[in-house]
Amino acid sequence: MTEVNARRIDQFFLFYSARADNWRNLAASAQEWVRTPDNVAAVRAALADIAPAEQFHAFPGVRSLRTLAEFVEAGQANDAAALARRISEVILLDGGMPEGLEASEGSEPDGLDIMPTVLGDGGNRRPHFETLFVTEQPPHRWPALIDQFRCLRRPEDQFTYEPVFVGSFEDAVCAAVVNPRIASVVTVDDMSYRSRNEAPALREILDPLIPERLGNASGIDLARILKGIRPELDIHILSDRDVEAMAGNASLTGIRRIFYAIEEPLELHLSILEGIGSRYETPFFDNLKKYAQRPIGTFHALPIARGKSVFRSDWIRDMGEFYGLNLFLAESSATTGGLDSLLEPTGNIKKAQDYAARAFGADHAFFVTNGTSTSNKMVVQALMKPGDIVIVDRNCHKSHHYGFVLGGCQPLYVEAFPLTSYSMYGGVPLATIKKALLDLKSEGRLDRVRMLDLTNCTFDGHMYNTRRVMEECLAIKPDLIFLWDEAWSGFAHWSPFLRYRTAMGAASAIRAWADDEASITAYEHQQDALGSNPSDEALMETRLIPDPRKLRLRVYQTNSTHKSMSAIRQGSMVLVHDVDFGEIESQFHEAIFTHASTSPNQQLIASLDVARRQMELEGYRLVMNAITIALRIRHTVNKHPLISKYFRILGANEMIPEEYRTSGFRDYLEPGTSWADIVRAMHEDEFYLDPTRMTLVCGTAGFDGTQFKRVLADNYNIQVNKTSRNSVLLQSNINNTRSDVAHLVRVLLGICTDLEQKLKRGGANIAEAFQTRVKSLMHDVPAMPNFSRFHDAFRGDAGVLTTEGDIRSAFYSAYLEDECEHVHLDSIEIDARLGDGPELVSANFVIPYPPGFPIMVPGQVLTRETINFMRKLDVKEIHGYEAVRGLKLLKMEQFGRFQQDR
Ligand SMILES: Cc1ncc(COP(=O)(O)O)c(C=O)c1O
């Protein structure tokens, strides 16, 4: 990372993460100035450092900054130190302009008592946000305009907001990016384009998007750019031109309201509040709260509802006390009387789902209360019929495999690129997917393929170029359906950096592209260049463009809202962007009926509703925070002289082979990496690393992943995500704080210090044992076996070039114990049969943890690589394998008879 350059306004991550530090520095230098009167230069420098970003924040505001500057110029060290400290405290607590501040501000000439505490009871505080005003008025008028807007506030307003004024297009973009408290925008229709500040990185990205940028720019262009960065923002346009014509322009989407100049300030004020109100509304949760307040007699199941059986009991009252009365008042098995049915929603659950669809940029959203394990099975069942082929990453979550078993579709397993040194996989290269489609096409079997099913991001953080993958696949098969399992990355929608790589982000981009006339020309040019009958080689080498007139965009996303947002455990969503959804809607509902519980938990549904509200109102800040925390962890661990001797967090260059990083991006920590480089990598590279998923290599400190995970949990109260042979996965989340980072760093430092001591004092034997252990963990890593093939008995209708098979028949074959056998992994029989047959055919899924993907699936022919991998495995948890009994295999010679019996 580069250092913050004080005059540049486009170092977005740095400004966000450095703001609190910069204020703390200013407060510290002012304090130092009190002690050492000659030290004013440092205060001036610190004040200059904060200036570029502060113009985009309502707090502390122009007046307080001016007051501070005046204290400095007048040599009032004590006053300056006190004011800087108090502003710094508010910013450190991530506070905005505290309510009530403005009332006293004008009457406080010395600016000292303007900061009410932010620590008190938050219960009565109205939610507060900031509104960006883009204006042509000269800056000296802004404070008066701010006052005018404050005068519009009324006690009955549900929220309060503070105006932030800027005077150019570029400043407006910077403000929206740098200041996550901005939730609403009011812009004039015509404004100057260039900022007075330096913004080279911003210009590199923004300039090509704005054709006529040198003179003035339009509010409509600004709205388009801001919506691309933060789609949740409400945008109001003030125009003194033909507002009726503007309002009648059908292509003008995403604008909340258009006003004729500022003729109706109160209406504008109310419109701003209403916009926030519509995001704040949580239809189901709001009703559930009302329901809980009503005196309701229950004569149906769920005795726990209303809590009487709990609070009247001597024996389980502690449960009531622990969870609180509201939980029980809000429990119900009713679907009427103010509630709704999750299985057939028509009321407030339907509305809550519609809001979620709006928030995540989908056409439809469905709440699921049994985790993404269930969401995946629902989507697979809804879209696939028996015999259909699904191209799928073999390394996907087991819910997909079980979905195929239940649905009877045939998986064509494709392999992700391996990261053998760390015993993990990345994502599936696009070339592998295209090859599978082209092979099927060459055998005349493309019609059998219905779906591509991929995990985005992978457990370890590999994000696909979702747009490119879908476009190229649609160029080969225009009606292919995509299921993106985004169990881990639902939050990514709220980052402009990551959204591009999400299913819904890419689907909107493709839809917009397909609606643009120019895309037909681009397609036709490519067709001309390829000729009438292009070879597979040519198609493999070309970045294929689909025919915009033919493609049917059918995109599904599943996400564990509980994994990355504020939903209760098991809260999950299915997001749909499918032009043909109407045709499969009834199937989709059947799939919901198949898998959903008929007693879904009310609190879970409410938490999905609330999670959506939170993300629509503060998701941008929270995700920016999660990314910033991750960058801090990455930086601190990898640059620390002692910690980095034993531990390392893998950069993008180590997690993604160079061939998939064609932009040249190496890592966030690479010196000189700019915001523009990150955006370029995000758009161009085949894979991108989600910064919040951090692979911490611990094999170099002599720990295997499982062992280190236990050490962190048992000794230091640190929970980590998954493990590999020599690493653990750390994940930063929307709830992490810098204190968490500090705790982690202390712990790692402590472990390293102990290790260092042990090695120093232990003598040669200890050092040698340590080196041997490190070598074994880091270098003696078993090669990971690819999927081999299904046995021919399960490939009755399969082609020659591809490996799909009937996994369901294989799975159910294992139900007949007589038709199965067990063979010990270390037996010589295994080796003999690998050489001379009969083939070893797995009867079930065998999934070791780690790595957590199926080494064997039902019906799979076992190869020497698979057996070698199993033999070298030193993990304790292997689902589907009992060491005492051995591998469970299908007796294939009897399989014909089994088929007849069925
Ligand atoms: C990629 C992936 N998909 C789906 C799931 C299942 O999600 P849930 O725990 O919400 O059922 C997981 C769980 O870890 C996962 O990693």
Side-chain angles (χ1 to χ4, degrees):
M1 280 193 290
T2 49
E3 293 305 314
V4 178
N5 174 330
R7 283 171 308 140
R8 279 181 52 178
I9 53 164
D10 54 1
Q11 294 181 303
F12 300 126
F13 277 125
L14 295 176
F15 269 135
Y16 177 75
S17 62
R19 188 171 181 228
D21 287 347
N22 284 348
W23 271 101
R24 206 208 40 238
N25 283 347
L26 174 58
S29 21
Q31 198 53 48
E32 187 54 32
W33 181 33
V34 171
R35 283 191 290 270
T36 329
D38 287 345
N39 252 353
V40 69
V43 183
R44 286 212 182 95
L47 206 52
D49 273 353
I50 59 160
E54 290 314 312
Q55 60 185 314
F56 304 130
H57 292 84
F59 180 80
V62 184
R63 288 190 182 112
S64 301
L65 286 173
R66 201 189 302 136
T67 307
L68 189 55
E70 283 165 6
F71 287 154
V72 174
E73 291 318 312
Q76 291 173 244
N78 280 317
D79 292 344
L83 183 56
R85 179 172 44 79
R86 296 169 77 179
I87 295 174
S88 161
E89 275 165 13
V90 176
I91 288 175
L92 206 63
L93 291 167
D94 220 2
M97 175 81 78
E99 201 179 346
L101 167 61
E102 67 287 356
S104 59
E105 188 180 21
S107 58
E108 289 297 338
D110 67 359
L112 278 183
D113 290 328
I114 59 174
M115 240 72 64
T117 174
V118 292
L119 285 173
D121 169 26
N124 294 326
R125 281 226 319 263
R126 287 184 286 183
H128 185 75
F129 62 95
E130 292 174 18
T131 298
L132 178 67
F133 285 83
V134 190
T135 180
E136 286 188 287
Q137 299 283 339
H140 71 263
R141 291 218 54 223
W142 296 352
L145 291 170
I146 291 174
D147 285 345
Q148 283 172 20
F149 271 94
R150 284 184 185 148
C151 288
L152 296 172
R153 286 190 193 162
R154 300 162 320 140
E156 52 271 65
D157 289 346
Q158 203 183 355
F159 318 103
T160 60
Y161 66 87
E162 200 58 38
V164 177
F165 275 79
V166 294
S168 73
F169 189 101
E170 286 184 339
D171 283 342
V173 174
C174 287
V177 174
V178 167
N179 180 355
R181 293 188 165 272
I182 291 174
S184 195
V185 179
V186 178
T187 174
V188 287
D189 182 28
D190 191 30
M191 73 206 74
S192 53
Y193 183 79
R194 286 278 185 235
S195 163
R196 293 161 295 149
N197 303 286
E198 288 179 30
L202 174 77
R203 282 175 191 151
E204 204 179 324
I205 293 153
L206 212 53
D207 281 2
L209 304 176
I210 311 293
E212 293 145 25
R213 58 184 174 276
L214 290 175
N216 274 21
S218 84
I220 295 169
D221 273 342
L222 178 62
R224 178 170 57 86
I225 295 293
L226 291 183
K227 280 282 184 189
I229 299 169
R230 294 182 57 188
E232 76 281 7
L233 289 177
D234 296 319
I235 305 211
H236 308 77
I237 296 196
L238 305 179
S239 174
D240 55 6
R241 285 185 260 179
D242 189 355
V243 281
E244 297 80 5
M246 190 191 277
N249 178 352
S251 65
L252 203 66
T253 51
I255 310 285
R256 189 161 186 91
R257 265 191 79 172
I258 299 170
F259 288 92
Y260 184 66
I262 188 102
E263 67 177 359
E264 295 177 279
L266 182 63
E267 289 299 315
L268 174 60
H269 169 75
L270 294 176
S271 177
I272 291 170
L273 294 181
E274 189 189 54
I276 301 299
S278 67
R279 282 185 258 163
Y280 189 80
E281 185 191 349
T282 32
F284 182 74
F285 178 55
D286 296 346
N287 271 288
L288 190 65
K289 282 193 290 184
K290 283 190 204 138
Y291 173 89
Q293 301 312 319
R294 285 169 33 204
I296 287 172
T298 57
F299 291 98
H300 55 70
L302 200 68
I304 208 168
R306 319 303 295 175
K308 287 177 246 177
S309 70
V310 176
F311 287 97
R312 284 201 196 135
S313 162
D314 279 347
W315 303 100
I316 65 167
R317 195 168 44 232
D318 61 333
M319 175 167 98
E321 284 159 4
F322 182 71
Y323 287 111
L325 182 60
N326 277 341
L327 177 72
F328 302 93
L329 293 177
E331 274 295 351
S332 174
S333 56
T335 53
T336 51
L339 300 175
D340 195 4
S341 156
L342 183 65
L343 277 89
E344 291 267 42
T346 53
N348 45 53
I349 294 187
K350 167 93 181 61
K351 209 168 161 194
Q353 292 186 153
D354 290 346
Y355 283 17
R358 169 192 75 194
F360 285 93
D363 296 339
H364 309 276
F366 296 91
F367 291 172
V368 179
T369 58
N370 316 65
T372 298
S373 305
T374 296
S375 302
N376 288 335
K377 284 179 228 157
M378 282 176 181
V379 177
V380 168
Q381 178 184 327
L383 296 165
M384 307 285 295
K385 54 185 193 320
D388 284 347
I389 295 175
V390 51
I391 301 178
V392 58
D393 179 359
R394 196 246 323 208
N395 194 17
C396 66
H397 186 256
K398 58 183 170 182
S399 50
H400 299 265
H401 303 275
Y402 285 107
F404 308 148
V405 167
L406 298 176
C409 51
Q410 301 201 359
L412 195 176
Y413 288 118
V414 281
E415 298 293 340
F417 62 81
L419 293 164
T420 310
S421 318
Y422 306 106
S423 294
M424 62 175 78
Y425 280 101
V428 182
L430 180 53
T432 307
I433 298 166
K434 280 171 76 176
K435 169 129 188 9
L437 284 169
L438 291 172
D439 283 349
L440 286 157
K441 187 174 173 200
S442 72
E443 290 184 340
R445 305 171 65 242
L446 204 51
D447 59 320
R448 290 273 311 279
V449 192
R450 197 159 159 81
M451 183 191 271
L452 174 66
D453 181 350
L454 296 172
T455 308
N456 183 53
C457 64
T458 65
F459 226 124
D460 302 291
H462 302 93
M463 300 187 89
Y464 284 84
N465 193 330
T466 41
R467 176 169 178 180
R468 179 168 175 191
V469 169
M470 291 199 278
E471 283 180 349
E472 293 220 38
C473 289
L474 289 169
I476 301 173
K477 183 168 169 59
D479 60 352
L480 189 66
I481 302 174
F482 300 90
L483 168 54
W484 294 99
D485 178 343
E486 296 186 352
W488 292 103
S489 53
F491 76 101
H493 179 80
W494 305 99
S495 160
F497 300 99
L498 305 181
R499 187 184 318 115
Y500 180 79
R501 299 236 161 196
T502 64
M504 291 302 126
S508 320
I510 296 175
R511 189 183 273 184
W513 172 84
D515 287 344
D516 183 350
E517 288 287 307
S519 55
I520 299 180
T521 319
Y523 167 75
E524 283 172 348
H525 276 150
Q526 183 168 84
Q527 288 303 299
D528 288 347
L530 283 169
S532 57
N533 192 15
S535 66
D536 280 4
E537 289 71 32
L539 294 174
M540 288 294 291
E541 277 166 18
T542 308
R543 191 200 199 288
L544 297 175
I545 299 176
D547 184 344
R549 293 155 302 192
K550 288 210 184 115
L551 64 86
R552 311 293 309 160
L553 193 57
R554 312 195 61 186
V555 187
Y556 289 75
Q557 184 252 35
T558 53
N559 79 76
S560 294
T561 321
H562 69 99
K563 288 196 204 299
S564 70
M565 292 166 269
S566 296
I568 294 175
R569 197 156 161 82
Q570 291 194 6
S572 168
M573 285 187 204
V574 178
L575 302 178
V576 181
H577 192 124
D578 179 357
V579 281
D580 292 328
F581 187 69
E583 283 169 30
I584 61 103
E585 196 166 357
S586 59
Q587 286 160 227
F588 196 87
H589 288 294
E590 287 299 339
I592 293 179
F593 296 149
T594 309
H595 295 283
S597 163
T598 45
S599 308
N601 181 285
Q602 309 285 6
Q603 321 320 320
L604 253 160
I605 303 169
S607 77
L608 285 164
D609 200 10
V610 172
R612 186 274 311 153
R613 177 213 281 177
Q614 178 177 43
M615 296 315 276
E616 266 197 312
L617 286 163
E618 56 178 349
Y620 178 73
R621 177 178 68 83
L622 294 172
V623 174
M624 178 110 86
N625 185 56
I627 295 176
T628 310
I629 293 275
L631 295 179
R632 279 184 192 279
I633 297 177
R634 286 174 177 274
H635 189 263
T636 312
V637 169
N638 286 6
K639 304 283 174 196
H640 191 284
L642 183 56
I643 298 178
S644 63
K645 200 169 155 190
Y646 295 102
F647 294 99
R648 186 169 95 258
I649 294 179
L650 298 180
N653 51 333
E654 291 161 292
M655 293 292 288
I656 300 172
E658 205 172 348
E659 62 198 283
Y660 306 122
R661 288 182 283 108
T662 43
S663 75
F665 175 69
R666 283 177 57 78
D667 190 38
Y668 306 94
L669 302 187
E670 195 75 4
T673 298
S674 74
W675 185 65
D677 297 327
I678 292 177
V679 173
R680 196 173 309 109
M682 180 57 79
H683 280 259
E684 287 176 20
D685 289 353
E686 188 168 340
F687 290 101
Y688 187 83
L689 185 67
D690 172 357
T692 67
R693 304 187 72 78
M694 294 160 277
T695 298
L696 177 76
V697 178
C698 55
T700 36
F703 297 101
D704 68 55
T706 316
Q707 183 189 14
F708 193 56
K709 181 177 179 169
R710 210 172 307 122
V711 168
L712 290 178
D714 293 351
N715 303 351
Y716 303 102
N717 288 328
I718 291 179
Q719 305 281 348
V720 298
N721 206 308
K722 78 164 246 267
T723 60
S724 83
R725 177 175 170 80
N726 45 29
S727 71
V728 295
L729 181 73
L730 309 174
Q731 181 191 346
S732 70
N733 228 316
I734 62 167
N735 66 342
N736 282 122
T737 59
R738 288 177 66 181
S739 309
D740 297 336
V741 181
H743 181 47
L744 176 72
V745 170
R746 284 306 298 166
V747 166
L748 292 180
L749 183 62
I751 293 171
C752 292
T753 311
D754 289 351
L755 199 56
E756 188 89 339
Q757 295 294 337
K758 206 168 111 192
L759 290 174
K760 265 194 194 136
R761 292 192 193 134
N765 284 352
I766 294 283
E768 200 182 319
F770 177 75
Q771 288 311 333
T772 310
R773 170 89 176 139
V774 171
K775 181 174 168 299
S776 144
L777 289 169
M778 298 304 299
H779 301 292
D780 304 339
V781 279
M784 292 181 297
N786 282 350
F787 176 76
S788 51
R789 61 187 169 85
F790 285 100
H791 189 274
D792 286 346
F794 306 110
R795 287 174 45 80
D797 59 357
V800 179
L801 296 173
T802 51
T803 59
E804 74 279 5
D806 173 11
I807 196 169
R808 177 162 69 179
S809 298
F811 178 88
Y812 284 111
S813 311
Y815 277 32
L816 300 177
E817 279 297 324
D818 288 352
E819 313 298 336
C820 298
E821 58 184 331
H822 284 88
V823 183
H824 279 112
L825 189 57
D826 290 325
S827 65
I828 48 169
E829 182 185 341
I830 295 247
D831 296 283
R833 283 175 62 175
L834 280 172
D836 307 322
E839 285 177 319
L840 304 160
V841 179
S842 182
N844 50 6
F845 290 103
V846 174
I847 310 179
Y849 288 86
F853 59 86
I855 294 297
M856 301 173 197
V857 306
Q860 179 183 335
V861 175
L862 304 188
T863 56
R864 172 135 341 256
E865 289 73 37
T866 315
I867 296 297
N868 284 349
F869 185 83
M870 282 295 288
R871 284 178 174 166
K872 281 192 188 161
L873 262 185
D874 50 7
V875 299
K876 295 209 171 56
E877 195 180 337
I878 307 179
H879 295 183
Y881 170 67
E882 287 175 77
V884 186
R885 299 186 74 195
L887 292 171
K888 187 172 178 182
L889 304 175
L890 295 175
K891 295 183 195 165
M892 291 315 300
E893 68 279 11
Q894 299 181 28
F895 188 73
R897 188 164 62 71
F898 168 78
Q899 288 280 52
Q900 281 161 18
D901 290 349
R902 283 167 50 129

